[in-house]
Amino acid sequence: MAASKTALQPATIDGLLDREQARFLDTHPRSAAAWEEGKTHFLYGGPSHWMRRWAGGFPVYAASAKGAHITDIDGHDYVDFALGDTGGMCGHAPEAVTRAALHQLQNGTTMMLPTEDSLWVGAELTRRFGLPYWTLTTSATDANRGAIRIARMITGRPKVLVFSGCYHGGVEEAHVEIRDGKIGMRNMIHPNGVDHSAVSRVVEFNDVAALEEALSHGDVACVLTEPLMTNFGMIPVAEGFHAALREITRRTGTVLIIDETHTISSGPGGYTALHGLEPDMLVAGKAIAGGIPAGIFGTSQEIAERLWKIVPMVNPRVRQSAHLGIGGTLAGNALTVATMRAVLEEVLTPANFERMIANATHLAEAARKIIADNKLPWHVTQTGARAEIMFMPNPPLSGADVIAGRRGDLETLLHAFYMNEGILVTPFHTMFLMCPATEPADVDRHTQVFGRFVDLVRSAGVV
């Protein structure tokens, strides 16, 4: 009986998903038509290939967004817990960002010259994150690439170490994972001629022994890591791991780069400031300019001085032709800097983080109660303003744990069901992010919908 039920589960879940997608199509005719039209113009249907990944079979087309809500072209309202996969963590159209952007648009968006706002932003980044020197980019991907390139320049080493299951944007070196004991391309990414054995090392998160061995060869320029993993399902950091990571990287002369692009949701200075970490370089992006494309990376005094020996500060009497091999004409443009100042000064404030974290705690506790009341083998993890429901009994310690226990079928069904019930979560995982405009009523709405989802899957016998 048990074996028969297990064998039927995927088909049953597929049937539920078919029903939810049919319901979505029936109630979203304008978005469906827009998606079909988009396929005639865009390589993957929408302006970004990411947009094809929504579980309804096609994405909703947004008409407007304000605060923590989105309205689509079919007239539906959504509580938005996706928030642009963190890019909208400030909320949609926050007044301070809109005001700063409009002012700067009237005074020029990009001149390849600094503005006085940049002086304030640089000082604030140092105050929040602790590193003395900063560079602005157009995305966290570019910030990661820049940090990696600098690490290779100052160490002379070729490889980047990442943790299996990581995500660091379009960084080629991070497109690897360990699956069934073998190293290969992560997340169904297709090879493109890069020899990853020459540029990457990959070990499991929280595995100190594997980290020690991988760095013992002396060919790794940097370790690139989130302070805890967020993009493969949330993987908490084991006690003592950060201390070991810092000690081993220092001892082996390896640059430690911490990517706070998602974990900036932990507080005003991200997870790094909250837990007193000491990276050599720190990266962030997405939310840092209120949804305007931007990234940042900071360096320690030691890293800066090593870099200046290779590429010195500008001598005004000599044409400076050498550069770092990174950049972008729009990096650090006046519009981005103006909105970044507004975000740091008026939006991602301690008071707003307190409110965001309280709402995330409310959501996590309510979800845990439903899970416990229904005796389900699921768990909820929270870090700051971010919470995640995972369909496995215990929090994973590594990417291997996620691979072994993750229920991608239930995640997809939940995403489709939620869209039909007026809730958006990032389609790549079941993670919920709060913004300053998120209200307790929005969280209560989620609790009601999650309860209905549990009723659905229990009545179908798929859990």
Side-chain angles (χ1 to χ4, degrees):
M1 290 286 291
S4 175
K5 182 179 178 181
T6 300
L8 288 173
Q9 278 190 2
T12 303
I13 292 176
D14 285 347
L16 292 174
L17 179 59
D18 288 344
R19 189 178 77 181
E20 291 302 323
Q21 289 184 334
R23 179 159 71 115
F24 186 73
L25 176 61
D26 185 56
T27 55
H28 295 76
R30 292 190 62 191
S31 285
W35 182 243
E36 290 305 311
E37 182 179 351
K39 285 196 252 182
T40 67
H41 306 298
F42 294 108
L43 185 61
Y44 282 99
S48 164
H49 74 280
W50 292 105
M51 296 174 182
R52 79 190 195 279
R53 297 185 64 184
W54 291 88
F58 55 90
V60 299
Y61 275 67
S64 63
K66 183 67 178 176
H69 286 248
I70 291 176
T71 301
D72 71 16
I73 62 174
D74 288 288
H76 303 290
D77 171 79
Y78 303 87
V79 179
D80 185 11
F81 291 111
L83 294 170
D85 197 24
T86 304
M89 192 177 81
C90 294
H92 301 296
E95 182 181 348
V97 173
T98 301
R99 182 175 65 248
L102 288 174
H103 174 78
Q104 193 59 55
L105 282 167
Q106 293 168 338
N107 289 278
T109 58
T110 182
M111 295 82 78
M112 210 169 73
L113 294 168
T115 62
E116 287 186 311
D117 279 340
S118 69
L119 303 176
W120 187 96
V121 165
E124 177 63 9
L125 292 175
T126 293
R127 187 190 71 80
R128 286 192 179 221
F129 299 109
L131 295 172
Y133 299 107
W134 294 87
T135 295
L136 306 190
T137 65
T138 54
S139 69
T141 289
D142 282 347
N144 278 320
R145 286 172 174 157
I148 288 169
R149 194 172 206 288
I150 289 171
R152 283 174 166 148
M153 288 170 66
I154 64 176
T155 64
R157 300 175 179 178
K159 293 186 178 182
V160 175
L161 185 142
V162 295
F163 294 104
S164 186
C166 72
Y167 179 73
H168 298 286
V171 173
E172 187 68 49
E173 292 85 347
H175 289 168
V176 289
E177 69 176 6
I178 302 170
R179 190 175 288 265
D180 298 326
K182 298 178 181 179
I183 296 174
M185 302 296 285
R186 71 175 299 276
N187 199 32
M188 298 180 290
I189 293 175
H190 288 267
N192 65 347
V194 173
D195 179 5
H196 283 86
S197 66
V199 297
S200 303
R201 287 191 187 276
V202 56
V203 300
E204 295 288 0
F205 194 60
N206 288 319
D207 190 337
V208 174
L211 175 69
E212 178 92 58
E213 195 284 328
L215 296 186
S216 69
H217 302 276
D219 58 355
V220 175
C222 60
V223 172
L224 173 61
T225 183
E226 292 185 286
L228 74 153
M229 295 183 71
T230 66
N231 264 280
F232 202 46
M234 220 184 287
I235 303 176
V237 63
E239 185 175 355
F241 180 70
H242 274 300
L245 172 63
R246 183 65 282 194
E247 189 279 324
I248 295 168
T249 50
R250 281 183 172 144
R251 173 161 41 85
T252 58
T254 309
V255 176
L256 176 58
I257 305 170
I258 291 184
D259 183 350
E260 289 263 18
T261 300
H262 279 185
T263 53
I264 194 174
S265 61
S266 300
Y271 192 100
T272 294
L274 187 64
H275 294 276
L277 305 185
E278 298 178 354
D280 297 306
M281 306 181 79
L282 184 144
V283 168
K286 291 191 179 183
I288 202 73
I292 301 294
I296 59 173
F297 69 87
T299 70
S300 68
Q301 185 73 35
E302 179 191 357
I303 297 297
E305 290 178 359
R306 291 172 69 182
L307 179 62
W308 290 334
K309 289 179 181 179
I310 301 169
V311 181
M313 297 288 279
V314 173
N315 180 341
R317 298 184 179 211
V318 179
R319 182 179 182 275
Q320 187 75 5
S321 59
H323 61 78
L324 303 182
I326 61 174
T329 311
L330 299 182
N333 69 77
L335 176 62
T336 297
V337 171
T339 58
M340 195 178 296
R341 176 171 183 169
V343 165
L344 297 172
E345 192 169 21
E346 301 184 60
V347 183
L348 294 184
T349 61
N352 276 339
F353 266 106
E354 184 177 350
R355 175 185 178 90
M356 293 156 64
I357 292 169
N359 279 321
T361 302
H362 178 188
L363 186 146
E365 290 176 348
R368 288 190 187 109
K369 184 176 188 307
I370 291 172
I371 290 169
D373 288 348
N374 287 274
K375 298 180 173 57
L376 294 167
W378 305 345
H379 74 272
V380 181
T381 303
Q382 180 191 352
T383 179
R386 186 185 303 274
E388 180 168 24
I389 298 169
M390 290 192 75
F391 300 121
M392 48 196 299
N394 301 305
L397 291 176
S398 66
D401 287 349
V402 176
I403 291 170
R406 191 173 193 174
R407 291 292 303 276
D409 53 355
L410 278 178
E411 289 181 16
T412 303
L413 177 61
L414 180 140
H415 294 158
F417 181 82
Y418 271 31
M419 290 170 75
N420 282 324
E421 297 292 322
I423 288 180
L424 297 179
V425 295
T426 303
F428 324 124
H429 33 61
T430 309
M431 200 177 293
F432 305 85
L433 181 61
M434 311 298 138
C435 70
T438 304
E439 296 286 349
D442 298 324
V443 176
D444 290 340
R445 184 167 164 185
H446 169 264
T447 301
Q448 294 165 6
V449 171
F450 182 55
R452 292 200 291 273
F453 175 76
V454 168
D455 290 342
L456 172 70
V457 296
R458 282 181 63 84
S459 65
V462 297
V463 293

